[in-house]
Amino acid sequence: MYETYASPPPPAAPAPEPEPASVAPAADHPRRPGVLRGVRHRAFWRSRAVRATALIVLLALSGLVLFALVREQTGTRGFLVGLGLAVFPVPLLLAAFRWLDRVEPGPWRNLVFAFTWGSCAAALVAITANSFAVQWIAVATADPDNADTLGATFVAPFVEECAKAAAILLVFVFRRRHFTGIVDGVVFAGFTATGFAFTENILYLGNAFGEDQAFGFSGLGSVTAGTFFVRVVMSPFAHPLFTVLTGIGFGLVALAPTRRMRTRAWPRVRRVALPLLGLLLAMGMHSLWNGSASFGPLAFYGVYGLFMVPAFAFLTWLAIWTRQRELRLLSAELPAYAAAGWLDPAEPLALSSMRARSLAQGYAARTHGPGAAKAVAEYEKSATALAFLRYRARRGAATPELAAEFTARERELLHELWQRKRIAGPALVYAAQVTGRIRLLPPPYHPAYAAAYNPYKNY
């Protein structure tokens, strides 16, 4: 398709030009004086490096303890078999959630934290608490046979969803800049739940393998094969589906306007009510799923076909629709910066199309080399963050701290755009032309076009 559109060669680098003036924010939040004053001395425990180190040590210790417990229950061979089988759905699930996050990809460290928390800290809390609860129920009711059923139906959903929700809460509180809406909530929840399901599958598959070894089962009729089919083939999305409801609750809070927070009680209640409602829905769906497995195959397949699959389809549609909405937001917010001279008028149209973004990176790589493709990707990322920043400020959806720092953050993003504009600008204009988002005549250009619209006039 590239050959069907002629495009002029990239221009030579001109002398540096002064940057345009920044665009005044369309927000109702004035900057509070004194927010960006001189650097203050932080307490030792408030240092970012100290907190990051403490978190890494905590996750590493929890992981070591957890896998020691799992190996003790499954045996070494069972642990290795469970580990090998449990890894199958992980790359597919992580790739799907990362695909949703392509519009405004956040730092990988946030996603690594979410996955590690789910696979180590949350799983350790769940295994410990569930085991204690089942033992307590067996003693309290004097009915050990039903203790596992009661624990799986009522205790496990509460404990596991709370443990997974803690990761989303931590990202929401300490990485608020990277938590901008529903898609981010879905992605963080998906990575956390995928990590949790990975560890849980190791335990279940390892125990199934041990049972097969003890009773001599093998082949498709083995317990291991049946467990693999149910947990890895049929329902790899089960835990992500539950926790995504909690992530959507936090995402709605991130989108909600915060203006007049001090004069109205509802915004403050909403910040607690929406995540709590998502968490309760996650617990309810989790309880229904676990309970259905306790009442026989008919109930299990009924819940799976009539409830789980439709719920999964609906949430998948919602995530994709929200992703497309984010793309449309770019074409609505970025023209203000094009009018101020920061962007070419065609760039917002190209940035609002994932295909155009990919074409721009490919064009830059062919024209200037692989480093240019990375520069275009960084340019696209900064432009997307700029559009979302303006959108939140205009709606009053930013926190007071973010609203107060709007100008500083805006200038930072605009400076990043300006540094890469010479390479990224022509590539995005080319991509907009190739994808049909703008109509340009191939060279030789008509004089009227050259006078009225020259995509390289700013370079």
Side-chain angles (χ1 to χ4, degrees):
M1 190 171 184
Y2 292 107
E3 289 75 17
T4 60
Y5 294 86
S7 185
E17 297 181 6
E19 298 181 359
S22 60
V23 180
D28 293 339
H29 299 284
R31 290 186 62 194
R32 294 182 300 174
V35 172
L36 300 177
R37 291 177 181 174
V39 178
R40 299 179 180 179
H41 295 287
R42 294 183 176 179
F44 174 76
W45 58 86
R46 297 189 63 185
S47 170
R48 178 178 297 180
V50 170
R51 289 186 298 184
T53 303
L55 182 61
I56 293 173
V57 171
L58 174 64
L59 292 176
L61 290 176
S62 64
L64 291 175
V65 173
L66 171 68
F67 286 109
L69 291 175
V70 173
R71 192 189 67 82
E72 182 181 358
Q73 293 188 33
T74 62
T76 302
R77 291 185 63 189
F79 175 80
L80 294 177
V81 170
L83 178 63
L85 296 177
V87 78
F88 276 95
V90 173
L92 179 62
L93 291 171
L94 296 185
F97 287 113
R98 187 59 176 173
W99 176 83
L100 285 176
D101 199 35
R102 284 182 62 200
V103 177
E104 189 189 17
W108 267 105
R109 61 178 180 271
N110 293 341
L111 302 180
V112 171
F113 161 75
F115 181 85
T116 307
W117 180 278
S119 60
C120 296
L124 179 61
V125 170
I127 290 177
T128 305
N130 290 342
S131 299
F132 175 80
V134 169
Q135 293 177 3
W136 181 84
I137 292 173
V139 173
T141 61
D143 187 5
D145 294 336
N146 289 329
D148 289 334
T149 300
L150 293 175
T153 304
F154 298 104
V155 178
F158 174 81
V159 173
E160 293 175 7
E161 294 308 322
C162 286
K164 289 182 286 184
I168 308 173
L169 176 62
L170 289 174
V171 175
F172 184 83
V173 172
F174 294 103
R175 291 292 184 266
R176 184 65 178 85
R177 176 182 290 182
H178 304 133
F179 205 126
T180 59
I182 294 176
V183 170
D184 291 318
V186 170
V187 171
F188 291 131
F191 268 73
T192 304
T194 300
F196 183 90
F198 169 65
T199 303
E200 190 178 64
N201 285 340
I202 295 175
L203 178 62
Y204 278 90
L205 290 167
N207 285 334
F209 178 79
E211 186 174 347
D212 288 336
Q213 293 296 301
F215 293 97
F217 299 144
S218 62
L220 296 178
S222 64
V223 179
T224 304
T227 304
F228 180 84
F229 178 75
V230 171
R231 299 191 63 87
V232 177
V233 178
M234 278 188 62
S235 58
F237 58 84
H239 272 289
L241 179 62
F242 307 146
T243 313
V244 156
L245 295 173
T246 306
I248 290 175
F250 279 98
L252 291 174
V253 173
L255 285 176
T258 58
R259 56 171 65 113
R260 300 179 184 176
M261 178 74 75
R262 298 179 181 177
T263 59
R264 293 184 180 181
W266 167 239
R268 285 174 289 184
V269 173
R270 177 176 54 200
R271 292 177 66 85
V272 178
L274 289 177
L276 183 59
L277 177 60
L279 178 61
L280 292 175
L281 290 174
M283 292 178 184
M285 184 179 293
H286 196 160
S287 179
L288 177 64
W289 174 249
N290 286 2
S292 68
S294 304
F295 293 105
L298 184 61
F300 173 78
Y301 289 113
V303 170
Y304 179 82
L306 299 178
F307 184 76
M308 292 289 289
V309 172
F312 173 74
F314 172 75
L315 290 179
T316 301
W317 170 84
L318 178 63
I320 295 175
W321 177 84
T322 305
R323 182 179 185 266
Q324 293 301 118
R325 179 178 176 272
E326 289 184 344
L327 289 172
R328 292 193 297 269
L329 184 147
L330 298 180
S331 60
E333 297 294 336
L334 291 179
Y337 296 99
W342 288 97
L343 305 175
D344 189 277
E347 290 183 42
L349 299 175
L351 289 167
S352 62
S353 167
M354 296 306 300
R355 179 170 176 263
R357 288 184 174 204
S358 299
L359 289 175
Q361 294 179 33
Y363 174 81
R366 293 192 309 273
T367 307
H368 299 285
K374 183 178 179 180
V376 173
E378 292 294 331
Y379 186 91
E380 294 168 352
K381 181 179 178 180
S382 298
T384 304
L386 182 65
F388 286 172
L389 176 71
R390 182 175 177 82
Y391 173 74
R392 294 196 304 273
R394 183 171 56 81
R395 293 186 67 248
T399 61
E401 291 77 11
L402 290 178
E405 298 178 1
F406 175 90
T407 302
R409 178 60 177 160
E410 182 192 43
R411 289 292 305 182
E412 177 185 347
L413 292 171
L414 289 173
H415 181 67
E416 293 176 2
L417 290 178
W418 197 255
Q419 289 181 315
R420 301 172 176 88
K421 186 174 178 60
R422 185 181 65 85
I423 298 296
L428 287 168
V429 172
Y430 168 82
Q433 177 186 359
V434 169
T435 56
R437 304 184 76 83
I438 59 173
R439 294 183 178 180
L440 302 180
L441 296 176
Y445 295 110
H446 190 278
Y449 166 77
Y453 187 82
N454 180 2
Y456 302 95
K457 61 186 177 183
N458 292 326
Y459 300 96

